[in-house]
Structures are given as structure tokens and as C-alpha cells.
Amino acid sequence: MLNLERLRTLDALARHGSVSGAAEGLHITTSAVSQQMSKLEREVGQQLLAKNGRGVRLTDAGRLLAEHAARILSQVELAQADLEAQRGQVAGELRISAFPTAARGLFPLALPVLRAEHPALRVRSCELEPERGISGVIRGDLDLAVVLDWYNKPMPVPDGLAKASVLDDPADVAMPAGHRLAGREEVDLAEFAEDEWITWGEGEFCHEWLMFTLRSKGIEPHLVHRAAETHTQLNLVAAGLGVCIAPLLGRHPLPAGVVTVPLKQRVRRHVYVVWRADADRRPSIRAAVRALQSAAARVGGDAAR
């Protein structure tokens, strides 16, 4: 009889590609991963791992068993979801991520509601950029991820995931109070062709969106500073170091010396939550989605302007 936890360890090794990655994803030590794999090799009577430089790789037998493990674990997930649905109880552990402004704007409203209404549910949360959140859900390291795309640049949702809308989040241009456009009721992005820009990190989805949007208007932006956090970007604006795009969710209060002006294009981010489709019937998933949507409705008055 194959041990389910050892199959889970093998599946994590196949998905993460390393012992350390599997250990991090499973929240156990690297030695525990090695021990589980040694026991699994004894159970099946075949070598599943081989040395590969300083790391390890799956043998042919290891890859074969890992494929079966993925299917077995998916069926276990379905069985657990069906049992939870039959009981109708919101219980167990729920692992959820959100990109930073959503974590700041939604988690403080949604997570206390989940705790109060469902005391048997244990929620673990973390901040992750959208791509990493989606990857975590696909790998099974997360149950839910709050992610985003932009009005003119959607993010594809991989097969096997379900999604639900949470919030449409408007974004303005943030600029120093003394900027030549600070007194305007609205502005066009083309008016910032000569400005210095503060943006997100290289390769981040929001940075790629900004480059795509500005270049579609014939602007090759002057990039001077990068910061992952909106609050850091806004403080750089306050210091007179450039302008940035400032979504509303999780933004307030603005630093002194910064003003925001809406864009004529009415730029918006679409915020939504994704989870594995095979876990769709879990009451804890549905409860978390409702809590996030309720939290979004509470901040929606500001977002709607």
C-alpha cells in the first residue's frame, strides 16, 4: 500500500524540482523530504531519485510514479471537497495569497469575518505577486490566490482553475503637488511623455502592463526608480522623483505633497480570486470567496468614486 504523504512528497519534488523547493512548499524540513523519499523507495523497491550535480532528479520510475501521484492527489482533493460539501462545514486549513495592495486593502476586512463566522477554519495568508499566486494554486501550495489583470491586458487563467470577480479597482496618476498637471480634473497618459516614471520591478505583471500601455501611445517611458510596493512608489513621488500609476485599493492615505488625478481612459485593474476547479465544492473555498467579495463591497464606495 502506497503511503499518501510520501506520494505528496514525491509530487512536490516533481513540481518544485528540488528538495529545498519541495520542503518549502510542504512546510517541512529538507531532511524530512529525504526521509520520506527513502521510505517510498523502500516501499516500491525502486530508485526514484538520482544525484544531479548538487541536487537530485527523478529517475524514470520516479517520473512515472509522480504522474500517478498527481492523479491520486487530485482524486483525494475531490473526495475531500465532496465530503466537506456533504457535511456543509467550513473547517480545516485554508491557504490564501494576495498581491500586496489587495492583502493590505482586503485581508484586514475579510479574514476577521472568516474567523468570527467559522472558528473551526484556520486561515494562513501571505503576499505574492499574481503570477506566483497562480503558480502556488496550480502546485497545490495554496488553496486560493487573489490576483489581477488590467482593462487592456488580461492575464490568462490556466486550465483547471476556477475564478470569481472581487473588485474593479480604478487607478490614477500620482504626481508631486507642484507638478504642471496637478490641478487638472483628468489627464491623458500622452501628457506624461517627458516625465520620469516610477514603476514596479522588472518582469512583474504590473510593470509589463505599464510598458505595454505607454508604448501603445507612442511613449518610450523614462524609467528612473522601481519599487514593488505602492506606498514606496508614492513616497518617491512625494520626494519629487517622478510620477507613478496609483491604484485605489490599499492606497490611502496619500503621503504629504502627492496628488492623484484620474485618467481620461478610466484605467482599472480587475481583481479576482482563483482556486483549483477540483476543490470547487469545498465550503471553505466558497466562504472565503464570499468574505473577499463582501470586503470588496465595503471598499467599493471609494472605488466607485
mmCIF file of all heavy atoms in Angstrom, residues 4 74-92 278-286:
data_model
loop_
_atom_site.group_PDB
_atom_site.id
_atom_site.type_symbol
_atom_site.label_atom_id
_atom_site.label_comp_id
_atom_site.label_asym_id
_atom_site.label_seq_id
_atom_site.Cartn_x
_atom_site.Cartn_y
_atom_site.Cartn_z
ATOM 1 N N LEU A 4 0.164 7.917 1.375
ATOM 2 C CA LEU A 4 -0.303 9.143 0.725
ATOM 3 C C LEU A 4 0.642 10.315 0.969
ATOM 4 O O LEU A 4 0.930 11.099 0.048
ATOM 5 C CB LEU A 4 -1.708 9.496 1.228
ATOM 6 C CG LEU A 4 -2.404 10.655 0.502
ATOM 7 C CD1 LEU A 4 -2.608 10.338 -0.963
ATOM 8 C CD2 LEU A 4 -3.741 10.951 1.175
ATOM 9 N N SER A 74 -5.147 14.480 -6.811
ATOM 10 C CA SER A 74 -6.294 15.209 -7.336
ATOM 11 C C SER A 74 -7.596 14.519 -6.947
ATOM 12 O O SER A 74 -8.578 15.172 -6.564
ATOM 13 C CB SER A 74 -6.195 15.330 -8.859
ATOM 14 O OG SER A 74 -7.311 16.009 -9.384
ATOM 15 N N GLN A 75 -7.606 13.190 -7.015
ATOM 16 C CA GLN A 75 -8.800 12.448 -6.607
ATOM 17 C C GLN A 75 -9.059 12.586 -5.116
ATOM 18 O O GLN A 75 -10.218 12.688 -4.687
ATOM 19 C CB GLN A 75 -8.641 10.964 -6.978
ATOM 20 C CG GLN A 75 -8.806 10.673 -8.452
ATOM 21 C CD GLN A 75 -10.169 11.084 -8.966
ATOM 22 O OE1 GLN A 75 -10.277 11.919 -9.854
ATOM 23 N NE2 GLN A 75 -11.223 10.509 -8.412
ATOM 24 N N VAL A 76 -7.987 12.599 -4.330
ATOM 25 C CA VAL A 76 -8.151 12.814 -2.887
ATOM 26 C C VAL A 76 -8.750 14.196 -2.619
ATOM 27 O O VAL A 76 -9.631 14.358 -1.774
ATOM 28 C CB VAL A 76 -6.792 12.659 -2.165
ATOM 29 C CG1 VAL A 76 -6.893 13.118 -0.717
ATOM 30 C CG2 VAL A 76 -6.329 11.215 -2.224
ATOM 31 N N GLU A 77 -8.268 15.198 -3.377
ATOM 32 C CA GLU A 77 -8.812 16.554 -3.242
ATOM 33 C C GLU A 77 -10.305 16.570 -3.551
ATOM 34 O O GLU A 77 -11.100 17.187 -2.840
ATOM 35 C CB GLU A 77 -8.073 17.502 -4.192
ATOM 36 C CG GLU A 77 -8.536 18.935 -4.146
ATOM 37 C CD GLU A 77 -7.839 19.753 -3.080
ATOM 38 O OE1 GLU A 77 -6.664 19.507 -2.804
ATOM 39 O OE2 GLU A 77 -8.510 20.642 -2.517
ATOM 40 N N LEU A 78 -10.688 15.884 -4.616
ATOM 41 C CA LEU A 78 -12.103 15.808 -4.968
ATOM 42 C C LEU A 78 -12.911 15.123 -3.870
ATOM 43 O O LEU A 78 -14.013 15.569 -3.525
ATOM 44 C CB LEU A 78 -12.271 15.053 -6.290
ATOM 45 C CG LEU A 78 -11.964 15.820 -7.570
ATOM 46 C CD1 LEU A 78 -11.924 14.875 -8.762
ATOM 47 C CD2 LEU A 78 -13.001 16.913 -7.798
ATOM 48 N N ALA A 79 -12.365 14.033 -3.337
ATOM 49 C CA ALA A 79 -13.064 13.319 -2.269
ATOM 50 C C ALA A 79 -13.233 14.196 -1.037
ATOM 51 O O ALA A 79 -14.317 14.237 -0.427
ATOM 52 C CB ALA A 79 -12.294 12.037 -1.908
ATOM 53 N N GLN A 80 -12.168 14.911 -0.664
ATOM 54 C CA GLN A 80 -12.263 15.802 0.491
ATOM 55 C C GLN A 80 -13.282 16.898 0.254
ATOM 56 O O GLN A 80 -14.059 17.257 1.146
ATOM 57 C CB GLN A 80 -10.887 16.400 0.784
ATOM 58 C CG GLN A 80 -9.887 15.398 1.335
ATOM 59 C CD GLN A 80 -8.496 15.983 1.469
ATOM 60 O OE1 GLN A 80 -8.125 16.937 0.781
ATOM 61 N NE2 GLN A 80 -7.697 15.408 2.358
ATOM 62 N N ALA A 81 -13.286 17.462 -0.974
ATOM 63 C CA ALA A 81 -14.247 18.517 -1.290
ATOM 64 C C ALA A 81 -15.675 17.989 -1.213
ATOM 65 O O ALA A 81 -16.571 18.657 -0.685
ATOM 66 C CB ALA A 81 -13.966 19.078 -2.686
ATOM 67 N N ASP A 82 -15.894 16.781 -1.728
ATOM 68 C CA ASP A 82 -17.246 16.208 -1.680
ATOM 69 C C ASP A 82 -17.691 15.934 -0.246
ATOM 70 O O ASP A 82 -18.853 16.166 0.114
ATOM 71 C CB ASP A 82 -17.287 14.912 -2.489
ATOM 72 C CG ASP A 82 -17.300 15.169 -3.987
ATOM 73 O OD1 ASP A 82 -17.563 16.323 -4.386
ATOM 74 O OD2 ASP A 82 -17.052 14.222 -4.759
ATOM 75 N N LEU A 83 -16.764 15.440 0.579
ATOM 76 C CA LEU A 83 -17.110 15.173 1.973
ATOM 77 C C LEU A 83 -17.412 16.471 2.722
ATOM 78 O O LEU A 83 -18.362 16.541 3.497
ATOM 79 C CB LEU A 83 -15.966 14.409 2.656
ATOM 80 C CG LEU A 83 -15.829 12.934 2.283
ATOM 81 C CD1 LEU A 83 -14.545 12.361 2.847
ATOM 82 C CD2 LEU A 83 -17.035 12.152 2.800
ATOM 83 N N GLU A 84 -16.575 17.499 2.480
ATOM 84 C CA GLU A 84 -16.846 18.785 3.113
ATOM 85 C C GLU A 84 -18.190 19.338 2.662
ATOM 86 O O GLU A 84 -18.950 19.903 3.453
ATOM 87 C CB GLU A 84 -15.736 19.787 2.774
ATOM 88 C CG GLU A 84 -14.450 19.585 3.544
ATOM 89 C CD GLU A 84 -13.463 20.717 3.303
ATOM 90 O OE1 GLU A 84 -13.914 21.851 3.018
ATOM 91 O OE2 GLU A 84 -12.246 20.464 3.384
ATOM 92 N N ALA A 85 -18.480 19.197 1.366
ATOM 93 C CA ALA A 85 -19.747 19.700 0.846
ATOM 94 C C ALA A 85 -20.922 18.964 1.471
ATOM 95 O O ALA A 85 -21.961 19.568 1.789
ATOM 96 C CB ALA A 85 -19.782 19.561 -0.674
ATOM 97 N N GLN A 86 -20.774 17.641 1.667
ATOM 98 C CA GLN A 86 -21.863 16.870 2.276
ATOM 99 C C GLN A 86 -22.091 17.297 3.716
ATOM 100 O O GLN A 86 -23.230 17.423 4.173
ATOM 101 C CB GLN A 86 -21.546 15.373 2.209
ATOM 102 C CG GLN A 86 -22.691 14.495 2.709
ATOM 103 C CD GLN A 86 -22.304 13.044 2.787
ATOM 104 O OE1 GLN A 86 -21.274 12.713 3.373
ATOM 105 N NE2 GLN A 86 -23.113 12.177 2.203
ATOM 106 N N ARG A 87 -20.999 17.535 4.443
ATOM 107 C CA ARG A 87 -21.133 17.982 5.833
ATOM 108 C C ARG A 87 -21.611 19.425 5.907
ATOM 109 O O ARG A 87 -22.263 19.823 6.864
ATOM 110 C CB ARG A 87 -19.785 17.870 6.565
ATOM 111 C CG ARG A 87 -19.314 16.465 6.820
ATOM 112 C CD ARG A 87 -18.207 16.444 7.867
ATOM 113 N NE ARG A 87 -17.117 17.343 7.516
ATOM 114 C CZ ARG A 87 -16.025 16.976 6.855
ATOM 115 N NH1 ARG A 87 -15.907 15.729 6.433
ATOM 116 N NH2 ARG A 87 -15.067 17.845 6.596
ATOM 117 N N GLY A 88 -21.239 20.189 4.884
ATOM 118 C CA GLY A 88 -21.610 21.607 4.890
ATOM 119 C C GLY A 88 -20.856 22.407 5.922
ATOM 120 O O GLY A 88 -21.269 23.505 6.282
ATOM 121 N N GLN A 89 -19.716 21.906 6.379
ATOM 122 C CA GLN A 89 -18.965 22.575 7.425
ATOM 123 C C GLN A 89 -17.778 23.325 6.832
ATOM 124 O O GLN A 89 -17.089 22.826 5.948
ATOM 125 C CB GLN A 89 -18.448 21.560 8.451
ATOM 126 C CG GLN A 89 -19.547 20.860 9.230
ATOM 127 C CD GLN A 89 -18.978 19.825 10.189
ATOM 128 O OE1 GLN A 89 -17.810 19.478 10.113
ATOM 129 N NE2 GLN A 89 -19.815 19.336 11.088
ATOM 130 N N VAL A 90 -17.556 24.534 7.332
ATOM 131 C CA VAL A 90 -16.390 25.323 6.951
ATOM 132 C C VAL A 90 -15.338 25.077 8.024
ATOM 133 O O VAL A 90 -15.398 25.642 9.125
ATOM 134 C CB VAL A 90 -16.734 26.820 6.839
ATOM 135 C CG1 VAL A 90 -15.501 27.626 6.454
ATOM 136 C CG2 VAL A 90 -17.849 27.024 5.829
ATOM 137 N N ALA A 91 -14.399 24.199 7.719
ATOM 138 C CA ALA A 91 -13.427 23.774 8.730
ATOM 139 C C ALA A 91 -12.121 23.411 8.035
ATOM 140 O O ALA A 91 -12.009 23.392 6.815
ATOM 141 C CB ALA A 91 -13.972 22.577 9.513
ATOM 142 N N GLY A 92 -11.098 23.125 8.853
ATOM 143 C CA GLY A 92 -9.800 22.736 8.326
ATOM 144 C C GLY A 92 -8.905 23.930 8.100
ATOM 145 O O GLY A 92 -9.039 24.966 8.756
ATOM 146 N N ASP A 278 -11.081 21.392 -9.017
ATOM 147 C CA ASP A 278 -11.445 20.150 -8.324
ATOM 148 C C ASP A 278 -11.755 20.376 -6.849
ATOM 149 O O ASP A 278 -12.197 19.460 -6.155
ATOM 150 C CB ASP A 278 -10.380 19.070 -8.504
ATOM 151 C CG ASP A 278 -8.997 19.494 -8.033
ATOM 152 O OD1 ASP A 278 -8.897 20.509 -7.317
ATOM 153 O OD2 ASP A 278 -8.012 18.819 -8.386
ATOM 154 N N ALA A 279 -11.527 21.619 -6.364
ATOM 155 C CA ALA A 279 -11.880 21.951 -4.973
ATOM 156 C C ALA A 279 -13.105 22.859 -4.908
ATOM 157 O O ALA A 279 -13.410 23.430 -3.857
ATOM 158 C CB ALA A 279 -10.700 22.633 -4.279
ATOM 159 N N ASP A 280 -13.815 22.961 -6.021
ATOM 160 C CA ASP A 280 -14.884 23.950 -6.141
ATOM 161 C C ASP A 280 -15.989 23.769 -5.111
ATOM 162 O O ASP A 280 -16.621 24.740 -4.697
ATOM 163 C CB ASP A 280 -15.469 23.883 -7.555
ATOM 164 C CG ASP A 280 -16.369 25.063 -7.864
ATOM 165 O OD1 ASP A 280 -15.890 26.204 -7.758
ATOM 166 O OD2 ASP A 280 -17.548 24.844 -8.191
ATOM 167 N N ARG A 281 -16.241 22.543 -4.679
ATOM 168 C CA ARG A 281 -17.371 22.291 -3.769
ATOM 169 C C ARG A 281 -17.002 22.464 -2.298
ATOM 170 O O ARG A 281 -17.855 22.326 -1.430
ATOM 171 C CB ARG A 281 -17.919 20.878 -4.004
ATOM 172 C CG ARG A 281 -18.522 20.688 -5.398
ATOM 173 C CD ARG A 281 -19.184 19.335 -5.508
ATOM 174 N NE ARG A 281 -20.296 19.208 -4.564
ATOM 175 C CZ ARG A 281 -20.862 18.053 -4.209
ATOM 176 N NH1 ARG A 281 -20.385 16.920 -4.708
ATOM 177 N NH2 ARG A 281 -21.867 18.018 -3.363
ATOM 178 N N ARG A 282 -15.734 22.761 -2.018
ATOM 179 C CA ARG A 282 -15.355 22.921 -0.610
ATOM 180 C C ARG A 282 -16.058 24.133 0.007
ATOM 181 O O ARG A 282 -15.934 25.254 -0.494
ATOM 182 C CB ARG A 282 -13.842 23.096 -0.481
ATOM 183 C CG ARG A 282 -13.036 21.840 -0.722
ATOM 184 C CD ARG A 282 -11.549 22.122 -0.601
ATOM 185 N NE ARG A 282 -11.200 22.678 0.693
ATOM 186 C CZ ARG A 282 -10.001 23.171 0.996
ATOM 187 N NH1 ARG A 282 -9.047 23.176 0.068
ATOM 188 N NH2 ARG A 282 -9.760 23.660 2.185
ATOM 189 N N PRO A 283 -16.795 23.939 1.096
ATOM 190 C CA PRO A 283 -17.455 25.087 1.731
ATOM 191 C C PRO A 283 -16.473 26.177 2.162
ATOM 192 O O PRO A 283 -16.818 27.361 2.144
ATOM 193 C CB PRO A 283 -18.152 24.455 2.941
ATOM 194 C CG PRO A 283 -18.371 23.035 2.553
ATOM 195 C CD PRO A 283 -17.169 22.667 1.728
ATOM 196 N N SER A 284 -15.245 25.794 2.547
ATOM 197 C CA SER A 284 -14.271 26.796 2.977
ATOM 198 C C SER A 284 -13.871 27.704 1.819
ATOM 199 O O SER A 284 -13.657 28.914 2.007
ATOM 200 C CB SER A 284 -13.031 26.117 3.569
ATOM 201 O OG SER A 284 -12.462 25.210 2.644
ATOM 202 N N ILE A 285 -13.779 27.141 0.608
ATOM 203 C CA ILE A 285 -13.476 27.957 -0.573
ATOM 204 C C ILE A 285 -14.599 28.958 -0.801
ATOM 205 O O ILE A 285 -14.376 30.155 -1.002
ATOM 206 C CB ILE A 285 -13.297 27.072 -1.824
ATOM 207 C CG1 ILE A 285 -12.072 26.163 -1.678
ATOM 208 C CG2 ILE A 285 -13.222 27.923 -3.086
ATOM 209 C CD1 ILE A 285 -10.750 26.834 -1.870
ATOM 210 N N ARG A 286 -15.812 28.476 -0.765
ATOM 211 C CA ARG A 286 -16.955 29.350 -1.026
ATOM 212 C C ARG A 286 -17.082 30.424 0.050
ATOM 213 O O ARG A 286 -17.405 31.580 -0.250
ATOM 214 C CB ARG A 286 -18.232 28.515 -1.104
ATOM 215 C CG ARG A 286 -18.220 27.527 -2.266
ATOM 216 C CD ARG A 286 -19.541 26.826 -2.434
ATOM 217 N NE ARG A 286 -19.526 25.922 -3.584
ATOM 218 C CZ ARG A 286 -20.610 25.336 -4.088
ATOM 219 N NH1 ARG A 286 -21.785 25.543 -3.532
ATOM 220 N NH2 ARG A 286 -20.503 24.535 -5.128
#
